[in-house]
Amino acid sequence: MTSRRPALTLKSPDDLVAAGLVAASRRGEIEKIAARYAIALSPAVARLIERGDPADPIARQYVPDARELVRDPAEDADPIGDALKSPIPGVVHRYRDRVLLKLVSVCAVYCRFCFRRETVGPGAGALSAADFAAALDYIRARPEIWEVVLTGGDPLMLSARRLAETTRALAAIPHLRILRWHTRLPVAAPERVSRAMAEALTRGHDKTVYVALHANHPRELTREARAACRRLIDRGVAMVSQSVLLKGVNDDADTLEALMRAFVETRVKPYYLHHGDLAPGTAHLRATIAEGQALMRELRRRLSGLALPTYALDIPGAHGKVPIGPAYLAPRPEGGYDVADPEGLVRRYEDRVAREGSRGRGEPMESRGDSASRA
Ligand code: SF4
């Protein structure tokens, strides 16, 4: 294979062959996948791929694989049930205090494991003006909605002007306090995360703006990606991360540790490590929950709480997201708990509190079990 470095987004099987990302003998295989799912590798992402390494963790996220056309019976085109919780176009209302607003269905890159892979792609377009107005009405009519999660696709694909208009419209809703944008753009096209974009997200309102950055491997947090995050953060945006646990990409403790440290160094608080959703044709990229829990146990041993994400599962059928990290606590039949310390040793904890009315009558406060320093 060659090591040509593309300047344009790679979208077709021919592009991938020409860029040296797949052998010409695989062109037919890639064509079959391209007929089913969108393909895009931005220049920033294509540059990261180590040509000649069949196990490259960046390639695995973005370069199509024949196994995508193999569908496990448990997989579903809408694995987390967006459609079941969508009262009007573009809005997903799964939890009482927040809604998702899907502004666009395009992305700078198309990830092979995407849980919305059946709905994202270059032909899918954006929310119409009428649907956006209806979404605003929906939010305005529900004072319990405190947060809007702007998603897609990748909503930061919109121009700075459109982002400013969207921000202005949402910021005019008094009970909405948090505007949270979910994006892969600082990794996929860091040059597009400009000061103008940061201004568009933050200027002229008093809402709190979060950007949730999606990255799965420490190599994705390049100097340029970190600078893109800095442009947002320096303008007042708070950042959190989200990653997906992916076989052959980040399903080892060293990679996850490096990824979480890279987030924290970039001032991005690790937020979620998602268990891979049951999206069609993604079984080869999923780890098991037991593997994920073992990795989280090891991360807990190595990292401070600041660098630990929550390992979470979106329950199929729109039943919501729950933490599925390893359990450290087990009740004892006689009362109290067995609790595993970070090294895996089981300690006993007496769950004791003062009895009602015991204060001031000479009765001691009851012991709360072992004490430990919390570094
Ligand atoms: S950027 Fe996000 S929405 Fe777009 S393909 Fe990747 S995971 Fe899916």
Side-chain angles (χ1 to χ4, degrees), residues 235-264:
R235 189 66 184 78
V237 171
M239 287 192 72
V240 294
S241 76
Q242 51 171 357
S243 308
V244 182
L245 178 61
L246 293 167
K247 195 115 203 137
V249 174
N250 58 18
D251 62 330
D252 66 276
D254 289 347
T255 301
L256 282 177
E257 177 187 353
L259 176 62
M260 298 307 153
R261 288 192 193 281
F263 281 138
V264 174

Side-chain angles (χ1 to χ4, degrees), residues 241-303:
S241 76
Q242 51 171 357
S243 308
V244 182
L245 178 61
L246 293 167
K247 195 115 203 137
V249 174
N250 58 18
D251 62 330
D252 66 276
D254 289 347
T255 301
L256 282 177
E257 177 187 353
L259 176 62
M260 298 307 153
R261 288 192 193 281
F263 281 138
V264 174
E265 288 165 10
T266 310
R267 291 185 282 166
V268 176
K269 167 72 183 97
Y271 179 34
Y272 277 127
L273 174 64
H274 297 280
H275 188 71
D277 294 305
L278 293 168
T282 59
H284 61 291
L285 291 168
R286 276 194 301 278
T288 65
I289 288 180
E291 287 165 342
Q293 290 180 328
L295 286 166
M296 286 305 297
R297 201 179 282 282
E298 180 60 17
L299 288 188
R300 163 74 58 187
R301 211 176 64 75
R302 297 184 185 190
L303 293 171

Side-chain angles (χ1 to χ4, degrees), residues 119-179:
T119 53
V120 298
L127 199 64
S128 71
D131 285 341
F132 181 61
L136 292 175
D137 287 343
Y138 182 90
I139 297 168
R140 231 180 261 120
R142 288 167 179 77
E144 67 275 17
I145 298 177
W146 172 77
E147 177 180 26
V148 62
V149 178
L150 290 312
T151 181
D154 193 323
L156 295 193
M157 290 294 280
L158 292 171
S159 66
R161 182 181 61 76
R162 291 285 305 282
L163 291 172
E165 285 168 8
T166 305
T167 297
R168 256 196 309 278
L170 290 166
I173 301 175
H175 58 262
L176 209 50
R177 300 306 309 160
I178 311 291
L179 310 181

